[in-house]
Amino acid sequence: MNRFPSLEEKTIVIVGAGGRIGREITTAVLTAGAQVVAIDCNDDALSGLSNFSGGGAGRLLPVKADITNVASIEQMLSLANDRFGIVNGAVNAAYPRNSNYGRPFFEVEFADFSENLSLHLGGYFLFMQQCAKYAISTRSNFSLVNLSSIYGVMAPRFEVYEEASFTMPVEYAAIKSAIIHLTKYASAYAGEYFRANCVSPGGILAGQDDSFLQRYNSHCMRKGMLSANDVAGSIVFLLSDISEFITGQNIVVDDGFSL
């Protein structure tokens, strides 16, 4: 039984489709009946999408593109339009960053901080801008869903990371909080044919060690750290017609971690 709202006869562009969350979103959107243009900048990720087993034979087009480049975004929207018709929505699950991303706060260099904001936040801005232009030009009632994070709405729980080999990057917090407000800005500015919303997931399972998971899960209600597919339902909802009057909002999906 399909647990998602219907996206039949809709064409959806998914950016970052080859990532951990992006693949689950792609599966969900295909399952809901949409035609999907799956975007990634990574050749290996695209290769995996070419053999996708999400039940969308003939409705999936993998395309290599870069959200930090205007021409690349214009081309992906044009390809989607040519292949499947008017684009009705998009999901941005991209996670662009440089090789120094994720260092502890006092070790972050200004140049790296600036570059990561330019790549990630700048890429989200550019994609929002071009999607809004497309929506207005085609009058397509376009729905864009951006991926933010619980750490866009709350300060990190640094105690969760005390014994971990990784931290909560300062760039991530700055970027994800800005994406939420930029989404509101674009929704207010672009008018009736374009709406944008955010989904802010909590932590996603990715092979973290048991001690980290225990510390994280102690702040949650039922499941604890989520699987990538736990986020997909809220995204399909925001892409669907049953959410047509929801715009500029942020839905937190975190099993209570941020409470």
Side-chain angles (χ1 to χ4, degrees), residues 1-7 28 31-33:
M1 180 178 178
N2 182 5
R3 64 188 180 95
F4 301 116
S6 175
L7 296 179
T31 301

Side-chain angles (χ1 to χ4, degrees), residues 184-227:
K184 293 177 182 291
Y185 181 103
S187 294
Y189 187 89
E192 65 176 304
Y193 296 112
F194 176 80
R195 63 187 179 99
N197 293 285
C198 280
V199 170
S200 289
I204 301 296
L205 288 166
Q208 298 92 339
D209 64 62
D210 288 341
S211 61
F212 174 81
L213 290 175
Q214 287 174 8
R215 292 193 298 276
Y216 181 95
N217 292 348
S218 68
H219 296 282
C220 299
M221 297 295 179
R222 295 172 60 198
K223 182 175 182 178
M225 188 165 285
L226 304 177
S227 302

